Amino acid sequence: MPQPDLVIFDCDGVLVDSEIIAARVEAELLTMAGYEISAEELAETYAGLTFKDIMMRVEEKSLIPFQASLIDKAEELVDRKLRSDVRAIDGVREAVAGVTAPRCICSNSRSERIEFMLEKVNLLPFFGGRIFSALEIPTGKTKPAPDVFLFAAEKLGADPANTFVIEDSVHGVSGARAAGMRVIGFTGASHSYPGHADALTEAGAETVIRRWAELKSVIAALSEWSADA
């Protein structure tokens, strides 16, 4: 049975149901700063980006100048909410444990945040020493740049073409595809929206799953398809 060299998981909105928590905090801050936006709209449009990148894109679109201090405020408030409220996505523990290929995390979040979330939901042991934050790699380029995916593959000796990435955001899918990797979209978190699966497919996901129970068979089928191709 053909095996991937590596399976990469995004963290927010894939392993933990954190995207909606962050979106609520960030939408409230942007609204208070003069740009009215709902948590749902923010999650749909900007999920997968750092708050700094979200702020810059909104600034460009709205021509409203934001204070740089908003970034630190958002980080502090989101961290506080995540520490108290974050939960694992249903079925993720069994799905991750069922991946027999090497696995890691590639995320736009800080490694400190990733670690405290995973520790809270008892997922950290699955990824010890294999957590890659785009903010902390040599280039510092975050998704949708492919850098964090390529960095992880190089560190773990994986061929990007035989690496699978599970992503919930268009920006993450785009980055993984730019890295030459195969992408499985995921729409099982609370921030999912009508048309989410279509958006991930259009961005380059080969298939999209909504429940973690589907992961093992999807990886096996896509690996087999690759071997036959």
Side-chain angles (χ1 to χ4, degrees):
M1 181 85 118
Q3 273 271 73
D5 287 1
L6 178 64
V7 176
I8 297 176
F9 292 84
D10 179 38
C11 181
D12 297 284
V14 170
L15 299 174
V16 291
D17 207 358
S18 53
E19 283 285 5
I20 195 64
I21 295 171
R24 285 173 185 146
V25 172
E26 293 165 357
E28 187 176 346
L29 286 174
L30 288 173
T31 298
M32 286 167 58
Y35 183 77
E36 196 167 329
I37 186 170
S38 68
E40 292 72 24
E41 186 186 350
L42 188 142
E44 181 174 340
T45 311
Y46 301 112
L49 296 178
T50 63
F51 183 64
K52 180 182 177 182
D53 286 339
I54 294 171
M55 211 170 75
M56 286 169 65
R57 290 186 185 209
V58 169
E59 239 180 13
E60 198 176 303
K61 178 180 173 182
S62 66
L63 303 179
I64 297 170
F66 298 117
Q67 295 195 346
S69 59
L70 211 56
I71 298 169
D72 290 338
K73 190 172 183 182
E75 287 291 298
E76 181 191 338
L77 292 174
V78 170
D79 274 356
R80 195 183 305 163
K81 286 294 286 180
L82 290 173
R83 284 183 188 279
S84 62
D85 296 355
V86 78
R87 299 285 182 270
I89 291 173
D90 286 348
V92 70
R93 198 169 288 107
E94 296 79 5
V96 171
V99 172
T100 52
R103 54 184 176 245
C104 73
I105 291 172
C106 287
S107 172
N108 273 353
S109 286
R110 306 182 323 276
S111 56
E112 179 202 4
R113 176 181 287 176
I114 300 165
E115 286 170 10
F116 81 62
M117 290 193 296
L118 295 186
E119 190 167 21
K120 181 173 166 61
V121 301
N122 300 316
L123 287 173
L124 192 56
F126 290 114
F127 298 102
R130 284 164 289 132
I131 293 171
F132 300 94
S133 165
L135 296 165
E136 296 158 23
I137 61 172
T139 66
K141 288 184 179 176
T142 53
K143 305 173 193 177
D147 300 38
V148 68
F149 297 112
L150 293 170
F151 183 80
E154 185 183 350
K155 285 288 179 188
L156 298 174
D159 176 1
N162 195 33
T163 295
F164 286 95
V165 180
I166 297 95
E167 274 284 355
D168 66 301
S169 76
V170 166
H171 305 291
V173 172
S174 300
R177 291 295 298 132
M181 297 177 177
R182 304 179 70 186
V183 188
I184 299 166
F186 181 73
T187 60
S190 298
H191 70 289
S192 193
Y193 53 89
H196 190 178
D198 290 340
L200 298 181
T201 303
E202 284 166 23
E206 288 185 49
T207 190
V208 178
I209 61 173
R210 191 176 60 81
R211 296 180 311 112
W212 275 120
E214 302 167 56
L215 182 67
K216 192 172 184 178
S217 60
V218 165
I219 288 178
L222 289 179
S223 298
E224 195 68 50
W225 176 79
S226 177
D228 293 343

